[in-house]
Amino acid sequence: MEKPRQGFAGLWNISFGFFGIQIGFALQNANMSRIFQSLGEDIEKLPGLWVAAPLTGLLVQPVIGHLSDRTWLGRLGRRRPYFLAGAILAAIALFAMPESPSIWFAAVMLWLLDASLNISMEPFRAFVGDMLRKDQHSAGYAVQTAFIGAGAVVGSLFPSVMEAFGVANVAPPGQIPETVRYAFWFGGAALLLSVLWTVVSTDEYDPARMAAFETAGDAVELPPMRALASHSYAASFGWIAAGVVVALVQIRLGLLREVLLLGALLAGYGFASMLAIALARRGSSTNMLSSIVGDFSGMPALMKRLAIVQFFSWSALFVMWINTTPIVAQYHYGTRDAASAAYQEAANWVGELFAIYNGVAAIAALTLLPWLARRLGQARTHMTGLACGAAGYASFFVLRDPMHLIVSEIFIGIFWASVLAMPYAILASSLPQAKLGVYMGLFNVFVVIPQLLVATVMGSVMQAFFPGEPIYTMAFAAVTLVVAMIAMTSVAAMLPRRD
């Protein structure tokens, strides 16, 4: 039995909530370094404060994916309860963030904001797969990417728009400019209203209909307890040992304390996997921990190869989000003083640059990428996008006029569109429907792990090799995208040329 084909209105309604979610992400990405520096934080400590974002995604997304696969709340459905709960919490964080009296309050609000955005976002990825037939997956993720780009444009430009209307863009030391305050308040309202649109305008397929849509190829063991019960504890001890090694290296080399968090997470997963194996061996068939660990260890081969690509792609993106504002302020506006008018002007220009790359992404998702995919296939189209991203990051070294950075953002926008659409379109068509939520959540672990590595390690790397010179992080980003492009060749080998 095939799912009904969705028209444009259906595709619109399914993904419209992502418009507001991305407004929230855009405000976070373009303004959090600005907020932290406005509150008095040093540039070398920014990655440590940003650690909240990837850490919450790492913990939240697999759990929400697992739970949403098993949820049915009558008329509210399977995924929509998570859309709504996350949107309400994110709106609260957005309204509270500009009132931060201290750096630590802002860090806590960032933690709440990112966790809430992930609660809403992760089920939206699975929602496209739930609602669309396989031959519409590319179109569904393209429309979702267009809304992501549009939301990011609105979120990124709002401080500049406020300044154009006469709102103060400079604040005394230790305070946040009014342009940022109003932008966050607007973002909270827009996020909640757009998610409500999707919640009200769509009806999910109930469990009986979803079961009827399943094909023989979709049948999987749920959860894969027998496979997990057969695992030894060797890998678990390996994770624990890796965590201990990281901690010892941090102590021996005097690296930033955030590196200890990385060691703790590695060791923590080792202990969690040991517990999951023990529970599976005892015959427990309903516990969430064993289900998630079992699904993680039993990921399909194609998903594992795509995960490597995601790891390197998102390492580059997180470097950009953390460092673009201080890079542009220092190298294009000649200032490191976060309280200066020049710095705030640079920060607003970064918001406009981010709006440009997101606008390019929205257009590319609906025009360029489908055209390339028809001719090259999805995998080779994504390789082209990765190459554009590497060129965009590398260009920061040669372009010194702030206006010329628009060229950089055009290339980065094509890369961003590809990252948001191609891997998910490839993946959604190859996963069993019954586990779409948890697998999408686990796939997004490879979005947040590289961000966590950047947040914990990049500060120490900067201090050791190029203190006070953040532009060299762009070289790192460009190289990681070249590695991602090479890794993508193994995915292309598993797919037909015109996939």
Side-chain angles (χ1 to χ4, degrees), residues 28 99 143 167 199 248 261 308 314 365 417 424 435 437:
Q28 170 184 299
E99 301 302 316
V143 171
V167 178
V199 170
L248 292 175
L261 177 60
I308 296 172
W314 284 83
Y424 294 98
K435 291 198 171 192

Side-chain angles (χ1 to χ4, degrees), residues 61-296:
Q61 291 194 18
V63 172
I64 295 299
H66 172 87
L67 292 175
S68 68
D69 280 340
R70 292 158 173 77
T71 295
W72 184 257
L73 297 182
R75 294 181 64 182
L76 197 53
R78 173 183 294 104
R79 315 291 183 189
R80 290 178 297 165
Y82 299 93
F83 302 165
L84 188 58
I88 292 171
L89 292 173
I92 292 172
L94 285 166
F95 276 97
M97 182 74 75
E99 301 302 316
S100 298
S102 66
I103 292 171
W104 286 111
F105 184 90
V108 170
M109 286 300 101
L110 175 59
W111 197 299
L112 174 61
L113 175 60
D114 203 85
S116 304
L117 291 173
N118 276 288
I119 289 171
S120 282
M121 182 192 71
E122 196 287 327
F124 259 105
R125 294 293 192 192
F127 194 50
V128 172
D130 289 345
M131 301 299 295
L132 300 180
R133 34 196 290 167
K134 290 185 177 181
D135 61 0
Q136 285 196 291
H137 283 167
S138 292
Y141 286 109
V143 171
Q144 192 175 89
T145 298
F147 277 125
I148 291 171
V153 168
V154 173
S156 298
L157 283 180
F158 203 79
S160 296
V161 172
M162 288 291 94
E163 184 185 17
F165 279 96
V167 178
N169 191 50
V170 179
Q175 297 185 26
I176 297 169
E178 290 294 301
T179 52
V180 176
R181 176 174 284 106
Y182 292 147
F184 273 66
W185 292 347
F186 164 80
L191 188 156
L192 188 57
L193 290 173
S194 64
V195 170
L196 281 173
W197 178 286
T198 291
V199 170
V200 171
S201 65
T202 57
D203 291 316
E204 297 185 68
Y205 300 121
D206 61 37
R209 292 194 71 189
M210 289 298 291
F213 293 140
E214 296 285 344
T215 65
D218 290 329
V220 294
E221 182 186 359
L222 180 65
M225 294 298 179
R226 284 178 292 180
L228 183 63
S230 66
H231 288 190
S232 73
Y233 292 112
S236 301
F237 286 118
W239 286 105
I240 295 170
V244 172
V245 169
V246 169
L248 292 175
V249 169
Q250 188 277 334
I251 295 170
R252 180 70 178 84
L253 299 181
L255 303 179
L256 294 178
R257 287 179 297 175
E258 288 81 6
V259 176
L260 287 175
L261 177 60
L262 177 61
L265 286 171
L266 292 172
Y269 179 75
F271 285 114
S273 63
M274 289 178 65
L275 178 58
I277 293 170
L279 291 171
R281 288 181 177 180
R282 292 179 182 177
S284 174
S285 60
T286 58
N287 74 88
M288 181 170 61
L289 178 62
S290 295
S291 294
I292 293 175
V293 172
D295 288 326
F296 184 76

Side-chain angles (χ1 to χ4, degrees), residues 16-64:
F16 186 73
F18 234 122
F19 173 72
I21 292 172
Q22 197 58 36
I23 289 176
F25 274 120
L27 289 169
Q28 170 184 299
N29 293 340
N31 293 284
M32 284 313 303
S33 288
R34 177 183 191 175
I35 289 174
F36 286 138
Q37 286 192 284
S38 294
L39 293 172
E41 191 56 278
D42 296 330
I43 185 174
E44 286 81 7
K45 295 183 179 179
L46 291 181
L49 291 169
W50 273 83
V51 74
L55 181 59
T56 51
L58 181 66
L59 299 175
V60 167
Q61 291 194 18
V63 172
I64 295 299

